[in-house]
Amino acid sequence: MKPKRFLAALCAITLSFGTSAQASSISVAIFDVTAFASSMGGNFSLEDFETYSGGALNGPLTGTSVGTFSSLGGVGGGSTCRSNGGGTCSADLAIQDDGINGQGNLVPIAGSKSLNSNDTLGIKWDVSRVGSASFNRLIFGLRDGGEFQSLTVSAGGETATFGPGAGNGNEKLVVVDFSGFVTSASVEMRHSGLNDGFTIDAATAAAVPLPAGAVLAMTGLAGLMAIGRKRRRKPS
């Protein structure tokens, strides 16, 4: 399976960083559990939404293992939000407890839960790990995005848009790599209109080893900074 760079987007994904690190790449591939597991490394925080009760939320979803999820606003009127809200729609997200309209669970395989945009304009993910642990990669599964509405992806000044026409029930593995370690980030998944619900699952913030070249560059930079400090301390 060959990941390919996002050239178009189903929903708008915007990243801002808690430090000066920038996104070095955004890739998307057909969702595959093996590829998902191999992308996480050994130091990660994951939210699969399985511990939450199904149905429409009342405000942002807080206290997860990877930060806070909130709606980008707008009240739809489609069958997805009516199903999640007991016949009524709201501007809030929903915990999807089964499959509907091509949306639903991806991880774990035997699970049933996912986070649904609930026919709103989309999802905002304010990323953080417990204890302010750092990360340099974000991973999540996206299901049924960009079927009827377009989606825009922006990261570190890079923007791509794709959809509509991604297909009902399409499953994507989204991986965002940073140029360095960060302790916070903001991700937006925004559709161009209402009533095109999508779900995300397995939202993961991971600290993966940097490439050898990046480690050497950081070591060299640290050395230069140390030399600079010594020169400033040298008496005149």
Side-chain angles (χ1 to χ4, degrees):
M1 177 180 62
K2 296 181 179 179
K4 45 187 179 182
R5 188 172 294 273
F6 274 118
L7 297 177
L10 333 169
C11 58
I13 301 180
T14 305
L15 294 166
S16 58
F17 307 97
T19 72
S20 59
Q22 297 292 299
S24 60
S25 69
I26 303 176
S27 64
V28 61
I30 302 300
F31 188 88
D32 176 83
V33 171
T34 301
F36 165 72
S38 65
S39 68
M40 296 189 299
N43 181 357
F44 62 88
S45 301
L46 182 150
E47 181 58 65
D48 60 14
F49 308 105
E50 292 295 321
T51 62
Y52 296 94
S53 299
L57 299 171
N58 183 19
L61 180 63
T62 62
T64 78
S65 59
V66 291
T68 298
F69 297 86
S70 55
S71 168
L72 292 177
V75 179
S79 59
T80 294
C81 62
R82 293 198 305 271
S83 174
N84 288 327
T88 61
C89 295
S90 72
D92 292 314
L93 306 177
I95 298 295
Q96 188 70 49
D97 197 14
D98 54 11
I100 182 174
N101 295 334
Q103 303 143 38
N105 173 78
L106 287 170
V107 173
I109 294 176
S112 63
K113 304 289 182 62
S114 58
L115 183 65
N116 198 304
S117 66
N118 208 29
D119 287 335
T120 67
L121 290 175
I123 299 171
K124 181 181 180 183
W125 176 18
D126 290 310
V127 189
S128 63
R129 299 180 68 188
V130 175
S132 297
S134 62
F135 56 92
N136 61 347
R137 175 176 288 177
L138 297 177
I139 312 150
F140 59 95
L142 191 153
R143 187 170 174 184
D144 202 37
E147 182 183 2
F148 302 113
Q149 308 286 349
S150 64
L151 231 149
T152 303
V153 178
S154 302
E158 298 183 8
T159 301
T161 301
F162 68 97
N168 181 54
N170 68 86
E171 300 178 359
K172 298 290 192 296
L173 174 63
V174 181
V175 179
V176 180
D177 282 310
F178 301 100
S179 59
F181 287 93
V182 297
T183 56
S184 64
S186 181
V187 181
E188 286 191 359
M189 291 155 271
R190 183 185 296 271
H191 267 139
S192 59
L194 299 170
N195 297 325
D196 193 10
F198 63 91
T199 48
I200 65 170
D201 203 359
T204 304
V208 298
L210 291 172
V215 174
L216 289 173
M218 292 173 65
T219 302
L221 178 59
L224 290 173
M225 292 173 65
I227 291 172
R229 285 195 295 269
K230 289 181 180 179
R231 286 178 175 173
R232 286 195 297 271
R233 292 172 184 168
K234 185 176 181 180
S236 57

